[in-house]
Amino acid sequence: MLTSFMEGLLCCLTTKSVNVVVPVDTSEPADGYEFVEVKPGRVLRVRHIIPDRPVVEEPTGQAGSVSCKRRITVYRNGQLYIENLGDRASPELKNCQNGETEPNSTLEVELTDCGNSSPPVSIPNSRSNSITAGKDGASDTGAGGEAPAAGQLDQSQQLRKRRRKPKRTVIIDCERRISSCKGSHADVALFFIHGVGGSLDIWGSQLDFFSRLGYEVIAPDLAGHGASSAPHIAAAYTFYALAEDIRLIFKRYARKRNILIGHSYGVSFCTFLAHEYPEQIHKMVMINGGGPTALEPSLCSIFNLPTCVLHCLSPLLAWSFLKAGFARQGAKEKQLLKENNAFNVSSFVLRAMMSGQYWPEGDEVYHAELTVPILLVHGMHDKFVPIEEDQRMAEILLLAFLKVLEDGSHMVMMECPEPVNTLLHEFFLWEPAAPPPPKKESKTRPETARALSDNPKATSDPDNVRPATARQSSSNAAAEEKPDSQAKK
Protein backbone atom coordinates (compact mmCIF):
# COMPACT_ATOMS: atom_id res chain seq x y z
CA MET A 1 0.00 0.00 0.00
CA LEU A 2 2.79 2.45 0.91
CA THR A 3 4.74 1.55 -2.23
CA SER A 4 1.75 2.23 -4.43
CA PHE A 5 1.14 5.57 -2.71
CA MET A 6 4.76 6.67 -3.20
CA GLU A 7 4.74 5.63 -6.87
CA GLY A 8 1.49 7.51 -7.44
CA LEU A 9 2.86 10.62 -5.74
CA LEU A 10 5.96 10.43 -7.92
CA CYS A 11 3.73 10.12 -10.98
CA CYS A 12 1.79 13.28 -10.06
CA LEU A 13 4.96 15.29 -9.35
CA THR A 14 6.83 14.27 -12.50
CA THR A 15 3.69 14.10 -14.70
CA LYS A 16 4.96 10.75 -16.00
CA SER A 17 3.25 7.45 -15.70
CA VAL A 18 4.99 4.83 -13.60
CA ASN A 19 3.00 2.05 -15.25
CA VAL A 20 4.97 0.03 -17.73
CA VAL A 21 2.27 -0.86 -20.22
CA VAL A 22 3.60 -4.18 -21.48
CA PRO A 23 2.30 -7.74 -21.31
CA VAL A 24 2.69 -9.36 -17.93
CA ASP A 25 5.28 -12.09 -17.46
CA THR A 26 3.79 -15.55 -17.61
CA SER A 27 5.26 -18.90 -16.80
CA GLU A 28 2.72 -21.08 -18.61
CA PRO A 29 3.99 -23.62 -21.11
CA ALA A 30 3.77 -22.69 -24.75
CA ASP A 31 1.54 -25.67 -25.57
CA GLY A 32 -1.98 -24.51 -26.35
CA TYR A 33 -1.07 -20.79 -26.43
CA GLU A 34 -0.76 -18.72 -29.57
CA PHE A 35 0.07 -15.07 -30.18
CA VAL A 36 -2.04 -13.54 -32.94
CA GLU A 37 -1.27 -10.16 -34.46
CA VAL A 38 -4.69 -8.71 -35.19
CA LYS A 39 -3.19 -5.39 -36.29
CA PRO A 40 0.37 -4.18 -36.77
CA GLY A 41 1.85 -4.02 -33.29
CA ARG A 42 -1.35 -5.29 -31.64
CA VAL A 43 -0.78 -8.86 -30.47
CA LEU A 44 -3.27 -10.94 -28.50
CA ARG A 45 -2.54 -14.09 -26.56
CA VAL A 46 -4.98 -16.88 -27.41
CA ARG A 47 -5.36 -20.26 -25.81
CA HIS A 48 -6.41 -22.69 -28.50
CA ILE A 49 -6.91 -26.36 -27.68
CA ILE A 50 -7.81 -28.96 -30.30
CA PRO A 51 -8.21 -32.25 -28.42
CA ASP A 52 -7.43 -35.63 -29.90
CA ARG A 53 -10.75 -37.14 -30.84
CA PRO A 54 -12.18 -39.43 -33.48
CA VAL A 55 -13.53 -37.60 -36.48
CA VAL A 56 -17.31 -37.73 -36.29
CA GLU A 57 -19.34 -35.91 -38.87
CA GLU A 58 -22.21 -33.67 -37.97
CA PRO A 59 -25.33 -35.68 -37.15
CA THR A 60 -27.65 -35.84 -40.11
CA GLY A 61 -30.73 -36.66 -38.04
CA GLN A 62 -33.65 -34.30 -37.88
CA ALA A 63 -32.93 -31.72 -35.20
CA GLY A 64 -35.39 -29.40 -33.57
CA SER A 65 -36.28 -26.15 -35.28
CA VAL A 66 -37.68 -22.95 -33.85
CA SER A 67 -39.83 -20.50 -35.74
CA CYS A 68 -38.56 -16.99 -34.95
CA LYS A 69 -41.37 -14.60 -35.80
CA ARG A 70 -41.34 -11.24 -34.08
CA ARG A 71 -42.50 -7.69 -34.65
CA ILE A 72 -40.56 -4.96 -32.82
CA THR A 73 -42.00 -1.45 -32.88
CA VAL A 74 -40.19 1.59 -31.54
CA TYR A 75 -42.31 4.70 -30.92
CA ARG A 76 -41.17 8.28 -30.92
CA ASN A 77 -41.97 8.68 -27.23
CA GLY A 78 -39.22 6.18 -26.42
CA GLN A 79 -41.38 3.09 -25.95
CA LEU A 80 -40.61 -0.38 -27.23
CA TYR A 81 -43.35 -2.81 -28.19
CA ILE A 82 -42.50 -6.46 -28.90
CA GLU A 83 -44.98 -8.97 -30.28
CA ASN A 84 -44.03 -12.63 -30.60
CA LEU A 85 -45.80 -14.31 -33.49
CA GLY A 86 -46.19 -17.97 -34.37
CA ASP A 87 -45.98 -21.15 -32.36
CA ARG A 88 -43.09 -22.30 -30.23
CA ALA A 89 -41.24 -25.52 -30.96
CA SER A 90 -42.04 -27.17 -27.63
CA PRO A 91 -43.73 -26.45 -24.28
CA GLU A 92 -40.26 -25.87 -22.85
CA LEU A 93 -39.78 -22.91 -25.16
CA LYS A 94 -43.32 -21.67 -24.55
CA ASN A 95 -42.61 -21.40 -20.85
CA CYS A 96 -39.22 -19.85 -21.52
CA GLN A 97 -40.24 -16.69 -23.31
CA ASN A 98 -41.78 -14.02 -21.07
CA GLY A 99 -43.18 -16.68 -18.74
CA GLU A 100 -46.23 -17.20 -20.97
CA THR A 101 -47.66 -20.39 -22.37
CA GLU A 102 -49.66 -18.92 -25.23
CA PRO A 103 -48.22 -18.99 -28.74
CA ASN A 104 -48.77 -15.29 -29.32
CA SER A 105 -47.43 -13.01 -26.60
CA THR A 106 -46.64 -9.35 -26.37
CA LEU A 107 -44.06 -7.40 -24.43
CA GLU A 108 -44.32 -3.72 -23.71
CA VAL A 109 -41.33 -1.86 -22.28
CA GLU A 110 -39.88 1.62 -22.14
CA LEU A 111 -36.37 2.31 -23.35
CA THR A 112 -34.03 2.92 -20.45
CA ASP A 113 -31.89 5.94 -19.89
CA CYS A 114 -28.22 5.41 -19.12
CA GLY A 115 -28.37 7.34 -15.88
CA ASN A 116 -31.57 5.79 -14.54
CA SER A 117 -32.37 2.34 -13.33
CA SER A 118 -34.30 -0.10 -15.47
CA PRO A 119 -38.06 0.58 -15.42
CA PRO A 120 -40.46 -2.24 -14.74
CA VAL A 121 -41.51 -4.43 -17.64
CA SER A 122 -45.21 -4.96 -18.27
CA ILE A 123 -46.35 -8.09 -20.06
CA PRO A 124 -49.94 -7.73 -21.23
CA ASN A 125 -52.14 -10.63 -22.19
CA SER A 126 -52.43 -11.80 -25.76
CA ARG A 127 -54.69 -9.48 -27.68
CA SER A 128 -55.05 -7.78 -31.01
CA ASN A 129 -52.36 -5.69 -32.64
CA SER A 130 -54.04 -2.42 -31.70
CA ILE A 131 -52.62 -2.22 -28.19
CA THR A 132 -52.34 1.07 -26.35
CA ALA A 133 -48.68 1.72 -25.56
CA GLY A 134 -48.91 5.18 -24.03
CA LYS A 135 -46.05 6.21 -21.81
CA ASP A 136 -48.31 7.54 -19.06
CA GLY A 137 -50.56 4.48 -19.17
CA ALA A 138 -53.71 6.66 -19.00
CA SER A 139 -57.05 5.06 -19.79
CA ASP A 140 -59.53 6.24 -22.39
CA THR A 141 -62.09 7.33 -19.80
CA GLY A 142 -62.62 11.03 -19.24
CA ALA A 143 -62.26 13.09 -16.07
CA GLY A 144 -64.42 11.97 -13.18
CA GLY A 145 -64.56 8.40 -14.46
CA GLU A 146 -67.33 9.08 -16.99
CA ALA A 147 -67.05 7.38 -20.35
CA PRO A 148 -66.98 9.80 -23.30
CA ALA A 149 -69.48 9.75 -26.07
CA ALA A 150 -69.00 7.58 -29.15
CA GLY A 151 -67.98 10.52 -31.33
CA GLN A 152 -65.55 11.79 -28.74
CA LEU A 153 -64.12 8.30 -28.33
CA ASP A 154 -63.53 7.94 -32.06
CA GLN A 155 -61.96 11.38 -32.22
CA SER A 156 -59.66 10.65 -29.24
CA GLN A 157 -58.63 7.34 -30.79
CA GLN A 158 -57.78 9.07 -34.06
CA LEU A 159 -55.73 11.69 -32.23
CA ARG A 160 -54.01 8.95 -30.24
CA LYS A 161 -53.17 7.04 -33.42
CA ARG A 162 -51.74 10.19 -34.94
CA ARG A 163 -49.53 10.74 -31.91
CA ARG A 164 -48.38 7.14 -31.78
CA LYS A 165 -46.67 6.97 -35.11
CA PRO A 166 -43.90 4.38 -34.85
CA LYS A 167 -40.38 5.59 -35.33
CA ARG A 168 -39.37 2.30 -36.92
CA THR A 169 -40.58 -1.28 -37.10
CA VAL A 170 -38.42 -4.38 -37.27
CA ILE A 171 -39.91 -7.68 -38.43
CA ILE A 172 -38.08 -10.97 -37.80
CA ASP A 173 -39.24 -14.06 -39.67
CA CYS A 174 -36.82 -16.94 -39.84
CA GLU A 175 -36.46 -20.60 -38.97
CA ARG A 176 -33.55 -21.72 -36.80
CA ARG A 177 -32.33 -25.30 -36.74
CA ILE A 178 -30.97 -26.09 -33.27
CA SER A 179 -29.11 -29.34 -32.72
CA SER A 180 -27.04 -30.89 -29.97
CA CYS A 181 -23.37 -29.88 -29.88
CA LYS A 182 -21.18 -32.70 -28.62
CA GLY A 183 -17.45 -32.73 -28.17
CA SER A 184 -17.11 -35.37 -30.85
CA HIS A 185 -18.46 -33.02 -33.52
CA ALA A 186 -15.58 -31.48 -35.41
CA ASP A 187 -17.69 -28.52 -36.56
CA VAL A 188 -18.21 -27.13 -33.02
CA ALA A 189 -15.99 -24.48 -31.40
CA LEU A 190 -16.33 -22.76 -28.02
CA PHE A 191 -15.22 -19.14 -27.60
CA PHE A 192 -14.64 -17.79 -24.06
CA ILE A 193 -14.42 -13.98 -23.66
CA HIS A 194 -13.57 -12.35 -20.32
CA GLY A 195 -14.44 -8.87 -19.03
CA VAL A 196 -12.64 -5.85 -17.60
CA GLY A 197 -9.65 -6.73 -15.47
CA GLY A 198 -9.75 -10.44 -16.25
CA SER A 199 -7.75 -12.72 -18.50
CA LEU A 200 -8.22 -16.01 -20.26
CA ASP A 201 -6.94 -17.70 -17.09
CA ILE A 202 -10.25 -17.09 -15.32
CA TRP A 203 -11.70 -19.75 -17.64
CA GLY A 204 -9.14 -22.35 -16.53
CA SER A 205 -11.71 -24.79 -15.10
CA GLN A 206 -13.99 -24.46 -18.12
CA LEU A 207 -11.19 -24.81 -20.68
CA ASP A 208 -9.85 -27.96 -19.04
CA PHE A 209 -13.31 -29.46 -18.55
CA PHE A 210 -14.56 -29.01 -22.10
CA SER A 211 -11.26 -29.84 -23.79
CA ARG A 212 -11.29 -33.17 -21.94
CA LEU A 213 -14.79 -33.77 -23.30
CA GLY A 214 -13.46 -33.31 -26.83
CA TYR A 215 -14.49 -29.71 -27.52
CA GLU A 216 -12.28 -27.27 -29.38
CA VAL A 217 -11.88 -24.21 -27.14
CA ILE A 218 -10.61 -20.70 -27.93
CA ALA A 219 -10.02 -18.04 -25.26
CA PRO A 220 -8.27 -14.72 -26.04
CA ASP A 221 -6.77 -12.09 -23.76
CA LEU A 222 -8.20 -8.65 -24.45
CA ALA A 223 -5.74 -5.90 -25.28
CA GLY A 224 -3.97 -4.76 -22.13
CA HIS A 225 -4.96 -7.91 -20.24
CA GLY A 226 -3.07 -11.07 -19.46
CA ALA A 227 -0.16 -11.53 -21.86
CA SER A 228 -1.59 -9.46 -24.74
CA SER A 229 0.08 -6.26 -25.86
CA ALA A 230 -1.02 -3.09 -24.11
CA PRO A 231 -0.63 0.03 -26.28
CA HIS A 232 -0.29 3.29 -24.38
CA ILE A 233 -3.16 5.06 -26.12
CA ALA A 234 -6.68 5.35 -24.79
CA ALA A 235 -8.29 4.86 -28.22
CA ALA A 236 -6.98 1.27 -28.25
CA TYR A 237 -9.43 0.29 -25.50
CA THR A 238 -12.74 1.58 -26.82
CA PHE A 239 -15.57 -0.87 -27.34
CA TYR A 240 -15.27 -0.75 -31.12
CA ALA A 241 -11.49 -1.32 -31.05
CA LEU A 242 -11.84 -4.33 -28.77
CA ALA A 243 -14.85 -5.65 -30.71
CA GLU A 244 -12.82 -5.53 -33.91
CA ASP A 245 -10.09 -7.59 -32.21
CA ILE A 246 -12.64 -10.19 -31.13
CA ARG A 247 -14.17 -10.25 -34.60
CA LEU A 248 -10.79 -11.00 -36.19
CA ILE A 249 -10.12 -13.75 -33.65
CA PHE A 250 -13.55 -15.21 -34.38
CA LYS A 251 -13.01 -15.22 -38.13
CA ARG A 252 -9.66 -16.95 -37.65
CA TYR A 253 -10.91 -19.85 -35.50
CA ALA A 254 -14.63 -20.10 -36.33
CA ARG A 255 -16.22 -23.38 -37.29
CA LYS A 256 -19.61 -24.17 -38.76
CA ARG A 257 -21.34 -24.15 -35.36
CA ASN A 258 -19.87 -21.76 -32.79
CA ILE A 259 -20.87 -21.20 -29.19
CA LEU A 260 -19.98 -17.92 -27.44
CA ILE A 261 -19.47 -17.73 -23.66
CA GLY A 262 -19.00 -14.24 -22.24
CA HIS A 263 -18.56 -12.84 -18.75
CA SER A 264 -19.50 -9.32 -17.63
CA TYR A 265 -18.15 -6.87 -20.25
CA GLY A 266 -17.32 -9.82 -22.49
CA VAL A 267 -21.06 -10.44 -22.93
CA SER A 268 -21.28 -7.26 -25.02
CA PHE A 269 -18.70 -8.62 -27.46
CA CYS A 270 -20.60 -11.90 -27.69
CA THR A 271 -23.79 -9.99 -28.46
CA PHE A 272 -21.93 -8.02 -31.13
CA LEU A 273 -20.74 -11.23 -32.81
CA ALA A 274 -24.18 -12.88 -32.59
CA HIS A 275 -25.69 -9.85 -34.30
CA GLU A 276 -23.01 -9.70 -36.99
CA TYR A 277 -22.84 -13.45 -37.72
CA PRO A 278 -26.28 -14.91 -36.92
CA GLU A 279 -25.81 -17.94 -39.16
CA GLN A 280 -22.49 -18.98 -37.61
CA ILE A 281 -23.43 -18.47 -33.95
CA HIS A 282 -25.27 -21.58 -32.81
CA LYS A 283 -25.75 -20.78 -29.11
CA MET A 284 -24.60 -18.21 -26.58
CA VAL A 285 -24.02 -18.00 -22.82
CA MET A 286 -24.18 -14.76 -20.82
CA ILE A 287 -22.62 -14.91 -17.34
CA ASN A 288 -23.50 -11.90 -15.17
CA GLY A 289 -23.78 -9.68 -18.23
CA GLY A 290 -26.36 -7.18 -17.01
CA GLY A 291 -29.38 -5.65 -18.68
CA PRO A 292 -30.00 -4.95 -22.39
CA THR A 293 -29.01 -1.29 -22.23
CA ALA A 294 -26.73 0.73 -24.46
CA LEU A 295 -23.23 1.23 -23.05
CA GLU A 296 -22.15 4.71 -22.04
CA PRO A 297 -19.39 5.63 -19.59
CA SER A 298 -20.51 7.18 -16.34
CA LEU A 299 -19.52 10.80 -15.76
CA CYS A 300 -19.41 10.36 -12.00
CA SER A 301 -17.06 7.43 -11.66
CA ILE A 302 -13.90 6.81 -9.71
CA PHE A 303 -12.28 5.67 -12.96
CA ASN A 304 -12.40 9.23 -14.29
CA LEU A 305 -9.68 10.20 -11.83
CA PRO A 306 -6.12 10.69 -13.14
CA THR A 307 -4.07 7.58 -13.72
CA CYS A 308 -1.62 8.41 -10.92
CA VAL A 309 -4.49 8.71 -8.43
CA LEU A 310 -5.91 5.37 -9.56
CA HIS A 311 -2.49 3.84 -9.09
CA CYS A 312 -2.43 5.10 -5.50
CA LEU A 313 -5.87 3.58 -4.97
CA SER A 314 -5.07 0.27 -6.72
CA PRO A 315 -4.86 -1.73 -3.44
CA LEU A 316 -8.25 -0.32 -2.42
CA LEU A 317 -9.71 -1.16 -5.84
CA ALA A 318 -8.35 -4.70 -5.65
CA TRP A 319 -9.90 -5.14 -2.20
CA SER A 320 -13.23 -3.75 -3.45
CA PHE A 321 -13.17 -6.14 -6.39
CA LEU A 322 -12.53 -9.07 -4.04
CA LYS A 323 -15.36 -7.90 -1.78
CA ALA A 324 -17.91 -7.50 -4.56
CA GLY A 325 -16.74 -10.22 -6.94
CA PHE A 326 -16.84 -13.17 -4.54
CA ALA A 327 -19.49 -14.39 -2.14
CA ARG A 328 -16.77 -15.22 0.39
CA GLN A 329 -13.52 -13.34 0.91
CA GLY A 330 -11.05 -15.88 2.19
CA ALA A 331 -7.59 -17.17 1.39
CA LYS A 332 -9.02 -19.38 -1.35
CA GLU A 333 -10.56 -16.44 -3.22
CA LYS A 334 -7.39 -14.37 -2.91
CA GLN A 335 -5.38 -17.25 -4.31
CA LEU A 336 -7.83 -17.56 -7.22
CA LEU A 337 -7.32 -13.90 -8.08
CA LYS A 338 -3.56 -14.27 -7.94
CA GLU A 339 -3.36 -17.48 -9.96
CA ASN A 340 -5.77 -16.37 -12.67
CA ASN A 341 -4.38 -12.84 -13.20
CA ALA A 342 -7.79 -11.39 -12.35
CA PHE A 343 -7.80 -7.63 -11.83
CA ASN A 344 -4.09 -7.57 -12.59
CA VAL A 345 -4.02 -4.70 -15.08
CA SER A 346 -2.34 -1.33 -15.05
CA SER A 347 -4.20 1.78 -13.90
CA PHE A 348 -3.95 3.28 -17.38
CA VAL A 349 -5.60 0.26 -19.02
CA LEU A 350 -8.29 0.12 -16.34
CA ARG A 351 -9.13 3.79 -16.77
CA ALA A 352 -9.15 3.54 -20.58
CA MET A 353 -11.35 0.43 -20.51
CA MET A 354 -13.98 1.99 -18.26
CA SER A 355 -14.08 5.30 -20.13
CA GLY A 356 -14.20 3.55 -23.52
CA GLN A 357 -17.42 1.64 -22.90
CA TYR A 358 -19.45 3.58 -25.43
CA TRP A 359 -21.83 1.44 -27.53
CA PRO A 360 -25.10 3.25 -28.27
CA GLU A 361 -26.27 0.54 -30.71
CA GLY A 362 -26.52 -2.11 -27.99
CA ASP A 363 -29.96 -1.11 -26.72
CA GLU A 364 -33.13 -3.15 -26.14
CA VAL A 365 -33.97 -3.30 -29.83
CA TYR A 366 -30.50 -4.62 -30.65
CA HIS A 367 -30.90 -7.45 -28.13
CA ALA A 368 -34.52 -8.15 -29.09
CA GLU A 369 -33.41 -8.85 -32.67
CA LEU A 370 -31.25 -11.79 -31.57
CA THR A 371 -32.64 -15.20 -32.56
CA VAL A 372 -29.85 -17.26 -30.95
CA PRO A 373 -30.70 -19.56 -28.01
CA ILE A 374 -29.11 -17.93 -24.96
CA LEU A 375 -28.37 -19.23 -21.48
CA LEU A 376 -28.12 -16.58 -18.75
CA VAL A 377 -26.15 -17.57 -15.64
CA HIS A 378 -26.33 -15.27 -12.63
CA GLY A 379 -24.63 -15.44 -9.23
CA MET A 380 -27.07 -14.62 -6.47
CA HIS A 381 -24.52 -12.61 -4.42
CA ASP A 382 -23.30 -10.50 -7.35
CA LYS A 383 -22.89 -6.89 -6.20
CA PHE A 384 -21.89 -5.57 -9.63
CA VAL A 385 -24.93 -6.80 -11.58
CA PRO A 386 -28.34 -6.99 -9.84
CA ILE A 387 -30.49 -9.98 -10.66
CA GLU A 388 -33.21 -7.64 -11.96
CA GLU A 389 -30.99 -6.78 -14.92
CA ASP A 390 -30.60 -10.40 -15.98
CA GLN A 391 -34.34 -10.91 -15.52
CA ARG A 392 -34.97 -7.98 -17.81
CA MET A 393 -32.53 -9.44 -20.33
CA ALA A 394 -34.42 -12.75 -20.24
CA GLU A 395 -37.67 -10.92 -20.99
CA ILE A 396 -36.26 -8.99 -23.92
CA LEU A 397 -34.51 -11.93 -25.61
CA LEU A 398 -36.50 -14.26 -27.85
CA LEU A 399 -35.02 -17.60 -26.69
CA ALA A 400 -33.53 -17.26 -23.22
CA PHE A 401 -33.04 -19.49 -20.17
CA LEU A 402 -32.13 -17.86 -16.84
CA LYS A 403 -30.31 -19.95 -14.23
CA VAL A 404 -29.41 -18.52 -10.81
CA LEU A 405 -26.66 -20.04 -8.64
CA GLU A 406 -27.20 -19.34 -4.95
CA ASP A 407 -23.56 -19.88 -3.90
CA GLY A 408 -21.99 -17.68 -6.59
CA SER A 409 -21.23 -14.02 -7.10
CA HIS A 410 -19.77 -12.05 -10.01
CA MET A 411 -16.90 -14.51 -10.56
CA VAL A 412 -19.24 -17.47 -10.42
CA MET A 413 -17.26 -19.58 -12.93
CA MET A 414 -14.27 -19.45 -10.54
CA GLU A 415 -16.28 -19.90 -7.33
CA CYS A 416 -18.57 -22.69 -8.55
CA PRO A 417 -16.78 -24.31 -11.48
CA GLU A 418 -18.60 -27.65 -11.31
CA PRO A 419 -22.19 -26.29 -11.34
CA VAL A 420 -21.29 -23.82 -14.08
CA ASN A 421 -19.67 -26.51 -16.21
CA THR A 422 -22.70 -28.74 -15.77
CA LEU A 423 -25.12 -25.97 -16.76
CA LEU A 424 -23.08 -25.08 -19.82
CA HIS A 425 -22.72 -28.70 -20.94
CA GLU A 426 -26.44 -29.39 -20.59
CA PHE A 427 -27.16 -26.28 -22.62
CA PHE A 428 -24.71 -27.34 -25.35
CA LEU A 429 -26.45 -30.72 -25.61
CA TRP A 430 -29.94 -29.25 -25.50
CA GLU A 431 -32.09 -29.22 -28.60
CA PRO A 432 -35.81 -28.59 -29.00
CA ALA A 433 -38.02 -31.54 -29.72
CA ALA A 434 -38.20 -32.42 -33.38
CA PRO A 435 -41.64 -31.90 -34.92
CA PRO A 436 -43.58 -35.16 -35.36
CA PRO A 437 -43.64 -36.57 -38.90
CA PRO A 438 -46.81 -35.76 -40.85
CA LYS A 439 -49.44 -38.45 -40.66
CA LYS A 440 -50.25 -40.23 -43.90
CA GLU A 441 -53.90 -39.98 -44.81
CA SER A 442 -55.46 -43.37 -45.53
CA LYS A 443 -56.91 -43.41 -49.02
CA THR A 444 -60.28 -45.22 -49.20
CA ARG A 445 -61.12 -47.26 -52.29
CA PRO A 446 -63.94 -45.94 -54.44
CA GLU A 447 -65.89 -49.18 -54.07
CA THR A 448 -65.66 -48.98 -50.29
CA ALA A 449 -66.69 -45.35 -50.33
CA ARG A 450 -69.72 -46.07 -52.50
CA ALA A 451 -70.62 -49.00 -50.30
CA LEU A 452 -70.43 -46.87 -47.18
CA SER A 453 -72.60 -44.19 -48.75
CA ASP A 454 -75.16 -46.72 -49.96
CA ASN A 455 -75.29 -48.42 -46.57
CA PRO A 456 -75.72 -45.79 -43.83
CA LYS A 457 -76.38 -48.57 -41.33
CA ALA A 458 -72.98 -50.06 -42.10
CA THR A 459 -71.26 -46.81 -41.34
CA SER A 460 -72.94 -46.64 -37.97
CA ASP A 461 -72.04 -50.25 -37.18
CA PRO A 462 -68.33 -50.88 -37.69
CA ASP A 463 -68.81 -54.66 -37.63
CA ASN A 464 -70.91 -54.49 -40.79
CA VAL A 465 -68.44 -52.49 -42.84
CA ARG A 466 -66.35 -55.40 -44.11
CA PRO A 467 -69.33 -57.71 -44.93
CA ALA A 468 -71.04 -54.88 -46.81
CA THR A 469 -67.91 -54.27 -48.82
CA ALA A 470 -67.56 -57.96 -49.51
CA ARG A 471 -71.15 -58.23 -50.73
CA GLN A 472 -70.66 -55.20 -52.94
CA SER A 473 -67.52 -56.64 -54.47
CA SER A 474 -69.13 -60.09 -54.94
CA SER A 475 -72.14 -58.56 -56.71
CA ASN A 476 -69.81 -56.64 -59.02
CA ALA A 477 -67.94 -59.83 -59.78
CA ALA A 478 -71.19 -61.65 -60.59
CA ALA A 479 -72.24 -58.84 -62.89
CA GLU A 480 -68.97 -59.14 -64.74
CA GLU A 481 -69.31 -62.94 -65.12
CA LYS A 482 -72.75 -62.81 -66.77
CA PRO A 483 -71.66 -61.22 -70.08
CA ASP A 484 -68.76 -63.60 -70.29
CA SER A 485 -71.01 -66.65 -69.84
CA GLN A 486 -73.44 -65.37 -72.48
CA ALA A 487 -70.61 -64.85 -74.93
CA LYS A 488 -69.35 -68.37 -74.36
CA LYS A 489 -72.83 -69.73 -74.97
Side-chain angles (χ1 to χ4, degrees), residues 299-317:
L299 298 178
C300 300
S301 174
I302 190 176
F303 298 102
N304 293 330
L305 297 174
T307 304
C308 57
V309 178
L310 287 179
H311 187 73
C312 295
L313 300 177
S314 57
L316 179 61
L317 295 176

Side-chain angles (χ1 to χ4, degrees), residues 78-371:
Q79 193 158 9
L80 179 68
Y81 179 77
I82 302 176
E83 185 176 6
N84 298 321
L85 310 173
D87 298 333
R88 294 286 179 268
S90 64
E92 183 180 5
L93 287 179
K94 290 181 182 180
N95 295 330
C96 163
Q97 174 61 26
N98 298 339
E100 296 191 3
T101 57
E102 300 181 5
N104 295 332
S105 59
T106 57
L107 179 65
E108 191 173 342
V109 299
E110 292 183 5
L111 299 181
T112 58
D113 297 329
C114 297
N116 301 330
S117 59
S118 300
V121 179
S122 60
I123 308 172
N125 297 327
S126 299
R127 44 187 173 175
S128 61
N129 293 336
S130 58
I131 298 178
T132 302
K135 210 171 187 181
D136 52 357
S139 60
D140 291 335
T141 57
E146 298 180 357
Q152 295 179 355
L153 181 61
D154 295 340
Q155 186 178 3
S156 63
Q157 288 180 352
Q158 292 179 359
L159 293 175
R160 195 176 188 85
K161 289 182 180 179
R162 291 176 185 175
R163 293 196 201 102
R164 292 183 58 252
K165 289 183 179 180
K167 185 177 180 180
R168 64 188 178 108
T169 303
V170 180
I171 298 177
I172 302 173
D173 188 359
C174 64
E175 192 85 10
R176 287 197 67 95
R177 181 177 179 271
I178 305 171
S179 57
S180 173
C181 297
K182 296 182 180 180
S184 57
H185 299 160
D187 64 335
V188 177
L190 310 183
F191 289 82
F192 293 84
I193 304 175
H194 66 83
V196 178
S199 68
L200 63 85
D201 298 317
I202 67 173
W203 303 108
S205 299
Q206 287 71 41
L207 299 179
D208 295 339
F209 177 81
F210 287 105
S211 61
R212 287 196 301 266
L213 292 178
Y215 287 92
E216 179 180 358
V217 296
I218 301 98
D221 274 335
L222 297 180
H225 296 67
S228 295
S229 62
H232 195 71
I233 177 174
Y237 304 100
T238 62
F239 172 83
Y240 296 103
L242 297 173
E244 181 64 17
D245 294 344
I246 298 299
R247 188 180 69 85
L248 295 175
I249 294 295
F250 175 78
K251 290 181 64 177
R252 180 185 179 93
Y253 296 101
R255 300 294 182 183
K256 185 177 180 181
R257 293 184 296 170
N258 304 279
I259 301 178
L260 306 179
I261 304 98
H263 172 251
S264 192
Y265 191 29
V267 169
S268 300
F269 303 118
C270 294
T271 306
F272 170 79
L273 290 179
H275 208 276
E276 293 292 320
Y277 305 99
E279 300 299 328
Q280 293 182 263
I281 307 302
H282 197 67
K283 295 175 182 177
M284 189 165 66
V285 179
M286 298 180 175
I287 302 178
N288 293 327
T293 55
L295 296 181
E296 186 173 350
S298 177
L299 298 178
C300 300
S301 174
I302 190 176
F303 298 102
N304 293 330
L305 297 174
T307 304
C308 57
V309 178
L310 287 179
H311 187 73
C312 295
L313 300 177
S314 57
L316 179 61
L317 295 176
W319 177 82
S320 301
F321 180 81
L322 177 65
K323 188 76 174 176
F326 291 90
R328 301 177 181 87
Q329 296 82 35
K332 177 183 176 181
E333 286 73 21
K334 294 180 181 179
Q335 189 67 20
L336 285 175
L337 286 178
K338 184 178 180 180
E339 292 178 353
N340 296 282
N341 286 330
F343 214 74
N344 185 21
V345 295
S346 65
S347 302
F348 173 81
V349 172
L350 183 61
R351 184 178 188 273
M353 287 283 292
M354 298 304 295
S355 60
Q357 294 185 7
Y358 179 72
W359 186 36
E361 294 86 1
D363 55 2
E364 287 93 340
V365 181
Y366 193 91
H367 289 79
E369 292 176 351
L370 296 177
T371 59

